[in-house]
Amino acid sequence: MIIILKQNAPEQQVQALCDELKARGLQIHASTGSEARILGLVGDTKAIAESWVRANPVVEDVRRVTEPYKKANRKFHPADTVVQVGNTKIGGGNFAVIAGPCSVESEEQVLTVARAVQTAGASLLRGGAFKPRTSPYSFQGMRAEGLELLRAAREKTGMPIVTEIMNTEHLPLFEDVDLIQVGARNMQNFELLRAVGRMKRPVLLKRGLSATLEELVMSAEYIMAEGNDQVILCERGIRTFETSMRNTLDISAVPMLKKMTHLPVVIDPSHAAGIAWMVEPLAKAAVAAGADGLMIEVHNDPARALCDGAQSLTPDQFAALMGQIAPLAGYLGKRVN
Ligand code: PEP
Ligand code: MN
C-alpha cells in the first residue's frame, strides 16, 4: 500500500500515523520527492482499510498495490486447487458437469432426470430445494422434503448432490450435502459465507448479479478465512443493458478469475442465457475459455417445470450437448469425470 501525504502535512501528525501503522505490524519506507512525500507500507496490509487511511487529515491519497485477498490469491498459491466432491474432481485439469432440474418437484421427476443426466455423462446432480425467487408468490421449492428427495436420488444413482442454502438457520439440514451452493443473491451474505466456511464441505459460490470479480473473490475469501478452502467459483451471467437474454454471460471471467485465483471456475450457461437453445453455444464457449466445469439445468418436461423451464434442456438435448462438450474438453487436455 502506498500513502501519498498532503503537502505541508504537520510532522507530528505524520509521525502519529506512522506509529499507528507500525503498531499494526507494518514497516514504513518513506520517500520525499520534490512535489510529494510518500509512505510505502511493507507487510500484510489486507486488514488496513483504504477508507481508514484516507480519513486521516494528513493523507492526500492511498493506493493498494497488492490484492486484499490472500487465501484465494494465485500469487500466494500458484498451483490450481482441486476440489473433490464424492469421486469427482474439479479443477487442476479435471473437468466435471453438474446437471439436474432447477427445482426438485417430485420423487419421480428428480430420479428420472438424475438417471438421464448420469447416463449422458454428468457426474454431479443439482436440484433446488430452497429456491430464491423474485416473487414470494412463485414456487418456493419443496424445502426440507426436497432435500430428502435429493438424498433418495443420491442413494439410487450414487451421484453426489448439489443444492442451494439460503439461510444459516438451515445449516443442520445441509450437513450431508456433497456440494453446498451459495446462490447469486446470497453472494454477499457474509454471515452465511462464514457459516459455510466453518462447515468444511465443498462450496459452489455463484457470482452476484452485479458483482465484480474482485467482490466474488472476496466472498470466497470469507469462506476460506474460516478454514474451508474447498471453494468452486461459478459465473452465471451478470446484469447488463442487454435485454434479449436473461443475463449476459461474462466469458472473460474464466481467464481473469484463473489469473486472480487458484480456485476452480465453472460456468452456468442456463441462468446466463435464460433460453434453452443458447445453452449449447455458451457451454462450448465456456469449455474453450478454460472452465473447469459446467452447471446445466435439465428437466424431463421443461414446459411444465415449476421454475426456469424456458432455460432447461430436455434429457435428449442434454445428451446431445454432452456428446459435444466431453470431446472438446478432452481435446483441450482436460480429464473429464
Ligand atoms: C440456481 O442455480 O438454481 C440459482 C438460483 O442460480 P443463481 O443463484 O445463479 O440465480
Ligand atoms: Mn434455476
Side-chain angles (χ1 to χ4, degrees):
M1 189 177 270
I2 292 170
I3 297 174
I4 301 149
L5 296 172
K6 281 191 181 142
Q7 276 181 340
N8 310 320
E11 194 49 44
Q12 215 181 346
Q13 287 181 42
V14 172
Q15 203 47 54
L17 172 63
C18 290
D19 290 345
E20 223 170 320
L21 291 164
K22 282 185 200 151
R24 291 175 171 229
L26 297 165
Q27 285 176 25
I28 298 169
H29 292 270
S31 84
T32 309
S34 58
E35 290 182 17
R37 188 173 165 200
I38 64 172
L39 304 175
L41 307 190
V42 181
D44 186 359
T45 56
K46 69 176 184 297
I48 309 283
E50 284 133 280
S51 55
W52 173 78
V53 179
R54 200 168 274 124
N56 191 302
V58 300
V59 172
E60 177 73 42
D61 203 358
V62 55
R63 312 251 165 90
R64 206 176 262 291
V65 289
T66 55
E67 299 81 7
Y69 48 94
K70 301 287 169 201
K71 292 182 188 294
N73 197 329
R74 193 179 283 277
K75 281 189 191 144
F76 306 114
H77 187 301
D80 286 339
T81 283
V82 179
V83 175
Q84 181 151 354
V85 186
N87 292 325
T88 300
K89 290 186 176 147
I90 303 181
N94 302 285
F95 181 89
V97 176
I98 306 166
C102 177
S103 310
V104 176
E105 297 173 10
S106 71
E107 185 173 0
E108 197 203 336
Q109 174 246 14
V110 70
L111 192 60
T112 307
V113 176
R115 290 204 199 283
V117 298
Q118 186 174 39
T119 305
S123 50
L124 304 175
L125 173 65
R126 66 150 285 147
F130 293 89
K131 293 301 304 176
R133 303 303 302 277
T134 301
S135 166
Y137 308 115
S138 301
F139 175 59
Q140 302 288 306
M142 291 181 75
R143 303 174 70 84
E145 196 188 341
L147 283 179
E148 276 307 319
L149 298 182
L150 280 170
R151 287 190 189 97
R154 173 173 62 188
E155 187 79 18
K156 294 207 168 91
T157 61
M159 293 178 92
I161 54 176
V162 186
T163 193
E164 177 168 353
I165 187 164
M166 297 209 315
N167 189 324
T168 51
E169 282 169 26
H170 297 153
L171 280 166
L173 293 171
F174 282 73
E175 265 162 14
D176 70 341
V177 168
D178 301 287
L179 176 59
I180 299 174
Q181 177 172 324
V182 174
R185 289 153 192 84
N186 268 314
M187 189 203 86
Q188 286 191 318
N189 180 340
F190 302 116
E191 287 300 312
L192 184 60
L193 297 174
R194 280 189 212 279
V196 296
R198 289 189 293 268
M199 276 184 84
K200 317 277 185 288
R201 289 223 148 240
V203 176
L204 180 74
L205 177 64
K206 299 188 87 173
R207 181 181 183 182
L209 276 67
S210 54
T212 65
L213 296 178
E214 184 169 291
E215 285 165 343
L216 170 61
V217 176
M218 288 306 285
S219 290
E221 189 82 8
Y222 262 90
I223 299 170
M224 299 173 86
E226 294 296 326
N228 185 354
D229 50 15
Q230 300 287 289
V231 182
I232 300 170
L233 303 173
C234 179
E235 155 63 29
R236 44 76 73 207
I238 50 173
R239 281 268 166 89
T240 68
F241 48 81
E242 181 53 60
T243 55
S244 58
M245 293 153 290
R246 185 175 180 182
N247 292 291
T248 299
L249 180 62
D250 180 9
I251 276 288
S252 51
V254 178
M256 187 54 86
L257 285 171
K258 286 185 161 287
K259 182 174 187 295
M260 294 164 76
T261 87
H262 49 85
L263 300 172
V265 179
V266 311
I267 289 276
D268 169 352
S270 306
H271 289 91
I275 13 180
W277 63 262
M278 202 181 274
V279 170
E280 181 190 306
L282 296 187
K284 286 185 195 161
V287 178
D292 300 293
L294 292 167
M295 174 144 106
I296 294 176
E297 287 190 340
V298 180
H299 197 282
N300 51 326
D301 188 358
R304 290 197 178 74
L306 296 180
C307 183
D308 287 351
Q311 67 196 34
S312 298
L313 301 187
T314 62
D316 285 350
Q317 288 168 336
F318 178 71
L321 173 67
M322 287 300 284
Q324 301 200 46
I325 288 305
L328 181 58
Y331 175 76
L332 292 169
K334 302 270 190 193
R335 286 176 295 277
V336 181
N337 62 92

